[in-house]
Amino acid sequence: MHRALRWTIICAGVAAGFGGRIAETGQTRPLVLEHVRIIDGAGAAPVENGRIVIEGDRIVRVGPSPATGAPANAEIVDLAGRTVIPGLIDSHFHIEKDPKLALRQLSHGVTAFRDPGQWDEAFEELRRMMAADGIPGPRIFTTGPHIDGEGPAYPADSVVARDAEEARRHAEESVKRGASALKIYYRLPFASAKAVIDVCNAHRIPCTAHLELLDAREVIDAGLHGVEHVTSFGVSLLARREAEAYRQAVLANNDARRDGRYRIFAGADLDGPRALSLYAVLRERKPYLDPTLAVFERRTRPQGDANPDLTAVQVAGFGKMKQLTRRAANEGARVVVGGHTEVPFAARGEAPWREMELLVESGFSPLEAIAAATSTAAGFLYRDRELGSLRAGFKADLVVLRGQPDRDVTAIRTVEKVMVAGRWIDTAKYRRY
Ligand SMILES: [Zn+2]
């Protein structure tokens, strides 16, 4: 079937209310991406002259061109000189009140995201826009609101649990409403955090956390699957007395953490006994780590700096955050990419790109940074048998780049085409969002 005709049918299907079925069954000619460099997202060396065969919403064959059969009736797209990577997965995207930003990120190659703490109602407008445009992505993964303790950091985005039983009930309710992960927020006491982790394990979904008060070692040992923000390791790096002073300061005022974590990191000994005991837990449990470096990035401001002392602490602290991210990966943490929506040194919709660049600045190879944004992130979604890699049987979510991001990660910014579920996205349209 001609692709324009197919598009019409898909749109008609969406309008009729069963677009998902028609879009996903893919009654179309196979599509062949020909003469393309392939980066599989799982860390393998690129295939220089590759072929990807897509039928419906899935990849059916992928490999070197001469060895990969193409169906006789296929539509051929010659992508000589281009590199294809799996669609990027943003593990930490706050939709807030800006659904257009998710579509702008889609035009930048972000074909899936997880919002780590939001009411379901916040996604209604994005879903409506996607249905109106007849597009199958970005794939949306939700966690429900943060599960926080009393005095929540972000009251509007949280449910408050006053004890473990309330935490368990909130967790069950979010799962019932479609959460594919749960997010512990930092004022939640330990027993309540454990109750949320237990609900996640019962439903086989990941539990992730933003920590400031609890010791990451203890929560990871209790079964926590993922950690948002490298700063969640902060109190684990401090001696017990200093950790308690920080905890009490944050308990008294949530804003104490803002400069406080730069001070913790600036003074942290990443080879000291506290850090070493954290690494031992990472080696044993191999949690996911979503460092969100881009939101913490600080640079020296040469002139007109109102508070040069604080800037110096922030720059030093940020340097240690990068070091700890690399060290945590070396010790066994599975690092993913979370762009965190708006960050100091990236333009609108470019936070995931900046995060990948910062991973490379932290010592990751470009292929490792790509894996963090694709196959490892799919693992953190518990969807790594169909998302995050260019492999036969996987969903056809992919990005065509003019540059070669395995040689220079900044080439991640050279997005030419984006595909979700076997369908090209109108990137020119969403770049204006
Ligand atoms: Zn966040």
Side-chain angles (χ1 to χ4, degrees), residues 108-237:
H108 292 163
V110 180
T111 55
F113 70 82
R114 178 157 66 206
D115 189 319
Q118 191 50 263
W119 295 91
D120 297 328
E121 291 83 345
F123 305 96
E124 285 172 4
E125 177 61 10
L126 175 60
R127 293 186 204 279
R128 190 199 62 72
M129 293 166 80
M130 289 166 58
D133 289 358
I135 52 173
R139 301 181 192 274
I140 303 168
F141 293 87
T142 63
T143 63
H146 304 141
I147 302 176
D148 207 347
E150 292 181 74
Y154 294 100
D157 303 337
S158 304
V159 287
V160 170
R162 292 168 297 168
D163 59 26
E165 180 57 15
E166 278 194 348
R168 187 189 67 74
R169 286 164 186 257
H170 282 311
E172 288 285 0
E173 187 63 23
S174 287
V175 173
K176 196 192 301 177
R177 291 169 180 267
S180 55
L182 294 177
K183 167 88 169 291
I184 289 167
Y185 224 67
Y186 66 79
R187 293 183 75 99
L188 200 65
F190 184 87
S192 302
K194 181 74 171 70
V196 176
I197 292 167
D198 290 345
V199 169
C200 285
N201 283 330
H203 292 280
R204 296 179 190 279
I205 61 173
C207 187
T208 192
H210 173 156
L211 305 174
E212 303 276 355
L213 306 175
L214 298 178
D215 189 321
R217 288 171 296 211
E218 294 172 358
V219 196
I220 293 168
D221 253 342
L224 183 72
H225 309 98
V227 171
E228 304 296 320
H229 316 302
V230 67
T231 51
S232 286
F233 292 141
V235 291
S236 303
L237 299 173

Side-chain angles (χ1 to χ4, degrees), residues 92 94 116 183 229 340:
H92 197 119
H94 293 288
K183 167 88 169 291
H229 316 302
H340 212 303

Side-chain angles (χ1 to χ4, degrees), residues 265-294:
F265 274 81
D269 178 1
L270 300 185
D271 292 302
R274 302 275 295 175
L276 295 180
S277 70
L278 170 64
Y279 306 150
V281 174
L282 299 182
R283 281 196 297 276
E284 174 160 351
R285 309 291 305 211
K286 299 190 170 31
Y288 290 96
L289 169 60
D290 187 357
T292 69
L293 289 168

Side-chain angles (χ1 to χ4, degrees), residues 20-57:
R21 291 239 37 89
I22 290 183
E24 304 259 325
T25 51
Q27 309 147 18
T28 66
R29 285 170 70 191
L31 176 67
V32 173
L33 309 184
E34 187 64 292
H35 301 131
V36 67
R37 291 183 84 237
I38 299 170
I39 294 176
D40 70 355
V47 174
E48 289 299 331
N49 178 22
R51 176 182 283 164
I52 301 173
V53 182
I54 295 158
E55 289 184 12
D57 67 334

